Amino acid sequence: MSCNCEPTPLSWAKMVQARSLLAMLRGALIVAAMGLAFAPGAARAQAGELNIYSSRHYDADKEIVERFTRATGIRVNVVEGDVGPLLQRLRSEGRNSPADLLITVDAGNLWRAQEADLLQPIRSAVLEATIPAALREPAGHWFALSQRARVIMYARDRVRPEELSTYEALADPKFKGRIVVRSSSHIYNQSLIASLIATAGIEKTELWARGLVANFARPPRGGDTDQILALAAGEADIAIANTYYLGRLLASTKQEERTIAAKIGVFFPNQDAPDQNGRGTHVNISGAGVTRFAPHREQAIRFLEFLVSPEIQVLFAEGNFEYPVRPGIATSAVIDLWGAFKADTPAIVGLGRNNAEAVRIADRAGWR
Ligand code: FE
């Protein structure tokens, strides 16, 4: 077959016509496809963005942000850092801050942010209906997203759970040289001390802290995981730590970490003492608040609402072995091993208020 491939002027014109028709068609197809891909097409156009300052750094968090963008079209930028520098940054940026949402761990940190006037109160029917009142700041400055229990852990081969009862009892001389816990410079311990101040007052709490320090097996060092490792290594018999650190070891892909975790028991203290010591195990939260000058306030609220949806609450439970804030969500199989417990939830909102006093008590008691 032969082909006269040299076009005549006429066929040029026809080709141009045909090409522009094709281009138009293709354009129309692309527009239609976009409409399908981002189903609420209009919403996509005005979905906007959301800027988060976060001191939570867990693998599951990245997945959560991606799911939110897929569901809403809202682009999310996350600045990660330690909470101190993030608060300082918010302070110095002032009303020019691009941040919409502050996510952090520990009610004490959220309280600090609120005290520094870095958060604004918001109302959301979804958040108020989903999150129990004790797990959110009454005016709406911040909301808990997950709960963590700070428990007593013990070496199964050297401690019987019957020997344990309360945090208060850890000051008993019978535990001399047997306890490990991280530094009091970490807010987890400051909040634990703050919870004791709330029930026992300053003097009794200081006496307790002195007794606890006297029972230390070694000067505090490392994080919660290091205390668990110390139990497994026989350096101490009892530790204070958050359960999710043990959860990570139990679910580890490394056999040696699972072996370590199997040596450790979890004891939920302060369960059934008849006095104030039966207030429940100390629990804390991870949480978030909308920043004072949030340029994307509505998107920030939408993200908070997304975080307490059943889908994401399951991720908190499965991804980091934390307890959901939304009632009725199944916890992970690892968490279920430890069973149900009574939590000192009412103390959470007040933990920040006693923080400065807690730091002074730890200092006077020599808890480095
Ligand atoms: Fe932690």
Side-chain angles (χ1 to χ4, degrees):
M1 291 194 58
S2 67
C3 160
N4 180 5
C5 293
E6 202 66 282
T8 62
L10 183 69
S11 63
W12 263 117
K14 275 187 179 165
M15 275 176 68
V16 168
Q17 264 183 10
R19 274 188 188 157
S20 53
L21 196 68
L22 261 176
M24 275 169 62
L25 262 173
R26 201 179 297 131
L29 277 172
I30 289 170
V31 169
M34 280 173 71
L36 282 176
F38 310 118
R44 170 79 188 176
Q46 8 166 295
E49 61 179 297
L50 171 65
N51 297 316
I52 298 174
Y53 284 6
S54 175
S55 74
R56 253 187 83 106
H57 337 268
Y58 302 125
D59 292 346
D61 296 1
K62 210 171 167 189
E63 161 80 18
I64 291 166
V65 163
E66 283 165 11
R67 286 200 199 188
F68 177 71
T69 300
R70 277 202 298 277
T72 63
I74 297 170
R75 278 180 295 118
V76 181
N77 308 301
V78 182
V79 172
E80 284 196 353
D82 289 335
V83 65
L86 286 181
L87 293 184
Q88 186 48 46
R89 184 163 168 178
L90 277 172
R91 213 174 281 132
S92 54
E93 287 171 343
R95 58 181 65 245
N96 296 320
S97 177
D100 301 300
L101 198 63
L102 173 73
I103 302 181
T104 186
V105 295
D106 204 290
N109 283 330
L110 290 159
W111 185 85
R112 270 181 205 169
Q114 184 187 344
E115 277 295 291
D117 208 9
L118 300 172
L119 303 176
Q120 62 171 296
I122 57 126
R123 299 297 308 269
S124 153
V126 172
L127 296 176
E128 286 159 29
T130 308
I131 306 174
L135 296 174
R136 47 189 162 86
E137 196 277 318
H141 285 90
W142 48 263
F143 299 82
L145 305 169
S146 65
Q147 305 179 71
R148 43 268 299 277
R150 194 153 185 76
V151 301
I152 298 176
M153 295 188 192
Y154 59 94
R156 286 183 195 278
D157 60 347
R158 299 188 297 282
V159 178
R160 285 174 296 111
E162 302 82 68
E163 297 171 61
L164 303 168
S165 58
T166 60
Y167 300 105
E168 286 80 350
L170 294 181
D172 191 305
K174 74 176 175 181
F175 295 121
K176 192 156 190 63
R178 301 174 67 193
I179 298 177
V180 281
V181 62
R182 77 197 298 172
S183 166
S184 71
S185 66
H186 197 279
I187 195 152
Y188 292 171
N189 286 332
Q190 294 168 10
S191 286
L192 172 64
I193 298 169
S195 76
L196 272 101
I197 296 173
T199 50
I202 293 170
E203 276 175 36
K204 281 187 180 166
T205 302
E206 182 171 342
L207 272 177
W208 169 78
R210 287 181 186 280
L212 182 73
V213 170
N215 289 340
F216 283 177
R218 64 177 191 191
R221 65 164 182 270
D224 280 9
T225 303
D226 296 296
Q227 317 311 316
I228 298 173
L229 299 182
L231 295 190
E235 282 183 64
D237 297 338
I238 292 165
I240 302 173
N242 288 358
T243 53
Y244 57 87
Y245 290 99
L246 183 60
R248 290 177 195 166
L249 295 175
L250 278 166
S252 171
T253 52
K254 295 179 190 142
Q255 174 63 50
E256 59 272 26
E257 293 192 335
R258 294 199 302 275
T259 305
I260 285 168
K263 295 180 180 174
I264 311 299
V266 165
F267 183 84
F268 291 102
N270 299 68
Q271 291 300 286
D272 44 28
D275 56 4
Q276 285 180 318
N277 292 346
R279 63 191 177 274
T281 294
H282 173 62
V283 284
N284 211 315
I285 56 167
S286 76
V290 177
T291 58
R292 174 143 176 242
F293 299 109
H296 311 98
R297 190 174 177 276
E298 293 314 310
Q299 285 85 348
I301 295 172
R302 233 174 133 188
F303 187 67
L304 285 175
E305 293 173 350
F306 181 73
L307 292 178
V308 298
S309 67
E311 172 196 351
I312 302 304
Q313 287 288 295
V314 165
L315 272 191
F316 279 132
E318 296 288 338
N320 194 41
F321 313 107
E322 292 179 74
Y323 293 89
V325 291
R326 186 186 184 106
I329 297 290
T331 49
S332 75
V334 165
I335 285 183
D336 290 345
L337 288 175
W338 305 319
F341 67 100
K342 178 178 168 189
D344 186 14
T345 331
I348 289 175
V349 171
L351 292 176
R353 207 170 303 120
N354 285 326
N355 179 273
E357 198 58 63
V359 172
R360 283 193 288 272
I361 284 176
D363 206 43
R364 289 198 297 270
W367 182 347
R368 299 294 166 233

